[in-house]
Amino acid sequence: MLSIRAITERSLTWTSILLSVFHAVTSFYVPGVAPIDFRQNDYVEIKAVKLTSSRTQLPYEYYSLPFCRPQTVEYKAENLGEVLRGDRIVNTPFQVFMNSEKKCEILCDKPNKPIKLSLEQSKLLAERIKEEYYVHLIADNLPVATRLEFYPNRDEEIKKKERDVQFEHGYRLGFLDSNKYFLHNHLSFVLYYHKEEVEQSKEHTFRVVRFEVQPQSIRHQDLKADKNGACTLPEPPSFSPQEIDATKENEVLFTYSVHWEESDIKWASRWDTYLTMSDVQIHWFSIINSVVVVFFLSGSILSMIIIRTLRKDIANYNREDDVEDTLEESGWKLVHGDVFRPPQYPMILSSLLGSGIQLFCMILIVIFVAMLGMLSPSSRGALMTTACFLFMFMG
């Protein structure tokens, strides 16, 4: 028999092992979604994702338009989900540093000379603006969002107190006014950070918790640029928007500004704003197409069932010889011939049944894995990659 001392030592050993395991579990992060701590003036990389439109349903990569390019263009290695979403994540020449303000800075290499767009590039820009394309950027894996403020009341005093704030994904490439195309060539970035609590002897670290942009269209003549790459933003009434004439060459000056604000939102809750964001770009074509297909299939299936049923009933009523037989058969006897009768199209039935179970198991496992927190929205394309893998595996 074991002594009380040996039993106590074993229990203490197992307790220490369990505590170490629990400690390791609490400090576990899903690969690719761990927080990044920035120090003062650390470089925060701004990447471009794609261009999207609710009218054409066709995504394009960022550099398909004549935007400013860095010295070396590097594309991020993408997973299956990102490829199916149309993402083409690439670096940009934006120079953003943690908690460092920038009032106005030229984006391209030539600080005091605007970019000259050719006739083909001008036509392409005008076409993308007409098709209502949005530009999508990310900073620390957070997508950029445009703040929209709505005032339900017209009274000026109530306007200051009551306002409805909404967000939309990305920012508009430009706008159309009086049959003229205008480009958003100035971007005002507003980044929110959360200051982490550290010991007094250590330096404070920051985490990015929100990424907003306010696009503006400013004519390059109104942007006063110097040789050092800095510029001066004019006041709203004193400048004209940057027009893109599709019939001739144009000159454009791309600029940006950076503003940082401290936020009480913690890193774990930084996706709450994006998850509750309503999609402004409603895909009407996809919705109408799905509704029409559902109604057509439902109507055709119901009509086939009704026609087959009525045809049998009418044929039975027209046969006077079998009236007595039909009267004798009642209850379960009416279906005794259909119980062991094979279906008319057994392969189609088995295919639909197998695909249904395949889809059901795929959706069930994806929901279970998402409930465990393994499919975080910060892990781009993970949901679609997991769904495709499970669909193939469940086959």
Side-chain angles (χ1 to χ4, degrees):
M1 295 178 64
L2 294 174
S3 62
I4 298 176
R5 182 177 180 181
I7 295 174
T8 305
E9 289 178 354
R10 286 189 178 183
S11 61
L12 291 174
T13 303
W14 282 106
T15 303
S16 61
I17 293 173
L18 290 175
L19 289 175
S20 63
V21 170
F22 289 149
H23 178 72
V25 170
T26 54
S27 61
F28 171 75
Y29 286 104
V30 179
V33 296
I36 300 177
D37 294 327
F38 296 93
R39 300 185 183 275
Q40 182 71 28
N41 295 325
D42 278 356
Y43 177 62
V44 181
E45 187 175 10
I46 306 294
K47 296 182 179 180
V49 182
K50 58 183 174 181
L51 307 171
T52 61
S53 172
S54 59
R55 295 185 60 183
T56 63
Q57 308 291 328
L58 294 175
Y60 291 96
E61 64 170 327
Y62 181 72
Y63 290 122
S64 63
L65 295 180
F67 291 119
C68 295
R69 296 174 176 244
Q71 294 181 355
T72 57
V73 178
E74 298 178 356
Y75 287 91
K76 172 184 170 292
E78 299 170 349
N79 54 36
L80 178 61
E82 291 174 327
V83 173
L84 294 177
R85 284 163 46 95
D87 295 352
R88 292 286 289 163
I89 301 177
V90 65
N91 60 332
T92 59
F94 294 104
Q95 298 295 319
V96 179
F97 299 94
M98 174 55 69
N99 205 15
S100 178
E101 301 279 335
K102 285 188 178 182
K103 294 184 178 180
C104 183
E105 188 167 328
I106 306 299
L107 185 59
C108 295
D109 295 333
K110 299 178 180 179
N112 55 354
K113 292 183 180 180
I115 298 177
K116 192 171 184 179
L117 302 178
S118 63
L119 181 60
E120 290 77 12
Q121 292 175 339
S122 301
K123 287 182 180 179
L124 184 60
L125 268 176
E127 183 180 357
R128 295 290 181 265
I129 294 173
K130 183 180 179 181
E131 293 171 346
E132 299 178 0
Y133 267 86
Y134 283 72
V135 183
H136 298 272
L137 306 174
I138 55 174
D140 190 25
N141 212 17
L142 273 181
V144 71
T146 304
R147 177 190 290 265
L148 304 176
E149 296 182 356
F150 301 95
Y151 299 93
N153 296 310
R154 297 183 178 180
D155 192 358
E156 294 296 333
E157 296 182 356
I158 303 178
K159 274 186 178 181
K160 299 179 180 179
K161 299 179 181 179
E162 298 181 2
R163 63 178 182 179
D164 185 14
V165 179
Q166 296 182 4
F167 296 91
E168 65 178 2
H169 297 277
Y171 70 90
R172 293 178 181 268
L173 177 63
F175 60 94
L176 182 64
D177 187 14
S178 301
N179 294 326
K180 294 182 179 180
Y181 304 98
F182 299 96
L183 175 68
H184 284 144
N185 59 325
H186 178 78
L187 302 178
S188 297
F189 293 128
V190 182
L191 293 100
Y192 295 81
Y193 65 87
H194 179 75
K195 186 181 292 185
E196 296 298 318
E197 297 180 358
V198 295
E199 299 178 0
Q200 295 182 355
S201 59
K202 295 184 179 180
E203 185 181 359
H204 280 284
T205 58
F206 308 91
R207 292 179 179 177
V208 181
V209 294
R210 186 182 294 179
F211 183 27
E212 297 179 7
V213 66
Q214 298 174 1
Q216 289 180 285
S217 180
I218 305 175
R219 191 175 56 177
H220 71 90
Q221 290 88 348
D222 298 329
L223 289 168
K224 300 177 181 179
D226 56 15
K227 296 181 179 179
N228 297 324
C231 56
T232 304
L233 288 177
E235 296 297 328
S238 62
F239 68 88
S240 301
Q242 176 63 56
E243 181 182 356
I244 300 296
D245 192 349
T247 60
K248 64 178 184 180
E249 297 180 349
N250 296 269
E251 291 185 349
V252 180
L253 199 61
F254 290 99
T255 58
Y256 69 101
S257 59
V258 181
H259 175 63
W260 289 90
E261 291 186 12
E262 187 174 0
S263 176
D264 296 331
I265 301 174
K266 294 185 178 180
W267 185 88
S269 304
R270 67 175 189 166
W271 280 93
D272 294 348
T273 304
Y274 297 91
L275 296 177
T276 58
M277 190 184 305
S278 59
D279 193 0
V280 181
Q281 306 180 52
I282 302 176
H283 301 277
W284 290 109
F285 178 78
S286 301
I287 295 174
I288 295 174
N289 186 29
S290 302
V291 170
V292 170
V293 170
V294 169
F295 274 104
F296 179 75
L297 292 178
S298 303
S300 60
I301 293 173
L302 289 176
S303 61
M304 289 177 62
I305 294 173
I306 293 173
I307 290 173
R308 289 173 62 87
T309 305
L310 292 177
R311 184 185 299 172
K312 290 182 179 180
D313 294 341
I314 294 173
N316 291 331
Y317 293 149
N318 291 334
R319 286 184 297 178
E320 298 178 357
D321 299 337
D322 300 335
V323 173
E324 296 179 357
D325 297 337
T326 55
L327 292 175
E328 292 178 358
E329 295 182 355
S330 61
W332 64 272
K333 293 182 180 180
L334 294 176
V335 297
H336 74 279
D338 297 332
V339 174
F340 300 103
R341 183 181 301 170
Q344 188 174 3
Y345 302 102
M347 291 302 296
I348 296 179
L349 177 63
S350 60
S351 299
L352 293 177
L353 183 62
S355 299
I357 295 176
Q358 185 179 0
L359 287 172
F360 176 76
C361 294
M362 180 201 73
I363 295 172
L364 185 65
I365 296 176
V366 167
I367 293 175
F368 178 74
V369 173
M371 289 174 61
L372 296 178
M374 300 295 291
L375 298 179
S376 172
S378 59
S379 181
R380 309 181 62 86
L383 178 63
M384 192 169 295
T385 303
T386 306
C388 292
F389 172 77
L390 288 174
F391 182 80
M392 299 296 295
F393 182 75
M394 290 297 159

